[in-house]
Amino acid sequence: MSAPIKTAVLPVAGFGTRVLPATKTIPKEMLPVVDRPALQYVVDEALEAGIEHIVFITGRNKNAIEDYFDEAFELEEALARRNKTDIAAELKRLRPKEGTMSFVRQQSARGLGHAVWCARDIVGGQPFAVLLPDVIVKPLGPSEPGCLKQMMDAYVQTGGNIIAVDEVPERDVSKYGVIAPARNPGSPPDGPLIAMSGMVEKPAMEDAPSRYKITGRYILQPEVMDLLATQETGAGGEIQLTDAMARAMDAGSPFHAFAYRGDDYDCGSKLGYFEAVLAHALDHPEIGDGARALVDRVRG
Ligand code: G1P
């Protein structure tokens, strides 16, 4: 049986070039989705899944992230003095406990695989999760488990490596890592776990082995981290996590793809970010009614 997953790696060093100039001075992970930074949703998803330590892989100009997860003493004091105890309590509740977060600088932008490898000392030879904070995966309902929690439940049965996947239109496959299912790609899977025969990063549409994109949630065994140490550059001239996973699989490490329940939003793109804000506004306990009325008005 594979060891439990206690540590999650969240790479947050990217520039956010697709949403410039908004991200010129604000990390893209800190852009608000209704009333909290996009990153808070991803941290909440990790904690809900039982993660006990989060390793943020940061870069220059990302200090706002570390500050956000610190106590804001003056602010919380002032809120308490003004009897705004609800929001003060919410700020406290959302903060992971002291000593449960690490911040590691990725000194040069050499790709996702390199970013993950920067966490190797802290992960320390254990299996680990990776969550790409560009992507928010919204559960289908308020009492539905998040994507990583669903994967953790599957992991208890299967062990090994698990990659979250979702089907996308053919024209979009070249933007993502894509898995090759072990069975005919056309045949529907029996359940959420999909046996795999391989994977490839950003294939040309005609070479894509399926329409299952890799969404940005992973449970990985230590051999993937080990292989990242020697991973050569791949698609886009970057060190790719997908390539190291493919090598681990070729060397016999067990992999499953996992078709999760949830809606994913790519907050690193303008339209994806807008969709994330819209979807979360429509379901928000405080402004949901108002947001729905507004959408109805706009649609005339
Ligand atoms: C990364 C991964 C890719 C994955 C994608 C999900 O690509 O390399 O396999 O499908 O995230 O968003 P990026 O978006 O960083 O180019």
Side-chain angles (χ1 to χ4, degrees):
M1 194 72 249
S2 302
I5 312 292
K6 298 291 176 200
T7 308
V9 179
L10 273 63
V12 291
F15 289 133
T17 39
R18 289 177 295 161
V19 278
L20 278 168
T23 48
K24 188 174 164 190
T25 54
I26 301 170
K28 63 178 166 178
E29 299 79 10
M30 295 304 293
L31 295 176
V33 174
V34 185
D35 55 2
R36 58 203 64 206
L39 187 54
Q40 181 77 58
Y41 294 88
V42 183
V43 166
D44 288 349
E45 181 189 331
L47 297 179
E48 180 216 6
I51 292 298
E52 294 177 2
H53 195 100
I54 296 180
V55 188
F56 295 95
I57 308 301
T58 72
R60 292 179 283 281
N61 298 326
K62 295 282 181 163
N63 292 341
I65 294 176
E66 204 165 333
D67 291 343
Y68 175 75
F69 288 110
D70 196 359
E71 181 176 344
F73 179 76
E74 294 82 353
L75 172 65
E76 290 174 36
E77 263 280 307
L79 290 169
R81 252 186 289 117
R82 291 176 205 164
N83 278 329
K84 297 198 185 269
T85 43
D86 291 4
I87 180 72
E90 174 78 345
L91 290 181
K92 191 165 175 201
R93 190 185 66 76
L94 290 175
R95 207 167 48 228
K97 290 194 182 53
E98 278 173 298
T100 64
M101 291 171 287
S102 301
F103 295 83
V104 177
R105 281 277 178 108
Q106 183 188 20
Q107 297 173 0
S108 51
R110 293 171 58 196
L112 174 61
H114 177 255
V116 170
W117 180 73
C118 288
R120 66 197 178 283
D121 280 3
I122 299 175
V123 170
Q126 296 298 312
F128 59 104
V130 175
L131 296 94
L132 305 189
D134 273 4
V135 181
I136 294 180
V137 185
K138 189 170 178 293
L140 291 183
S143 49
E144 280 275 320
C147 181
L148 189 63
K149 172 77 171 83
Q150 296 170 41
M151 293 167 71
M152 291 286 211
D153 291 345
Y155 178 72
V156 173
Q157 311 298 324
T158 64
N161 304 270
I162 303 185
I163 308 174
V165 296
D166 189 30
E167 282 194 275
V168 291
E170 204 177 11
R171 63 174 182 279
D172 288 336
V173 288
S174 59
K175 298 180 197 159
Y176 298 100
V178 177
I179 64 126
R183 301 200 319 177
N184 175 351
S187 58
D190 295 332
L193 280 166
I194 303 169
M196 290 174 57
S197 62
M199 67 200 101
V200 56
E201 180 68 14
K202 303 200 173 75
M205 195 168 89
E206 50 284 8
D207 300 334
S210 75
R211 294 197 291 111
Y212 284 112
K213 69 156 182 189
I214 298 175
T215 294
R217 302 291 186 270
Y218 313 78
I219 289 175
L220 298 174
Q221 296 300 314
E223 47 268 29
V224 176
M225 187 66 97
D226 295 344
L227 285 169
L228 281 170
T230 56
Q231 188 56 53
E232 290 173 4
T233 54
E238 297 191 329
I239 296 176
Q240 297 292 353
L241 180 58
T242 305
D243 294 345
M245 294 192 298
R247 279 168 70 208
M249 193 172 167
D250 287 348
S253 191
F255 273 81
H256 283 94
F258 183 82
Y260 56 90
R261 300 185 309 280
D263 296 318
D264 58 279
Y265 302 98
D266 175 10
C267 293
S269 80
K270 292 182 188 56
L271 192 57
Y273 173 67
F274 175 68
E275 283 182 319
V277 174
L278 186 60
H280 286 84
L282 293 174
D283 281 350
H284 194 278
E286 192 185 317
I287 65 162
D289 290 345
R292 283 189 293 275
L294 184 67
V295 168
D296 287 346
R297 235 177 18 248
V298 170
R299 292 168 75 199

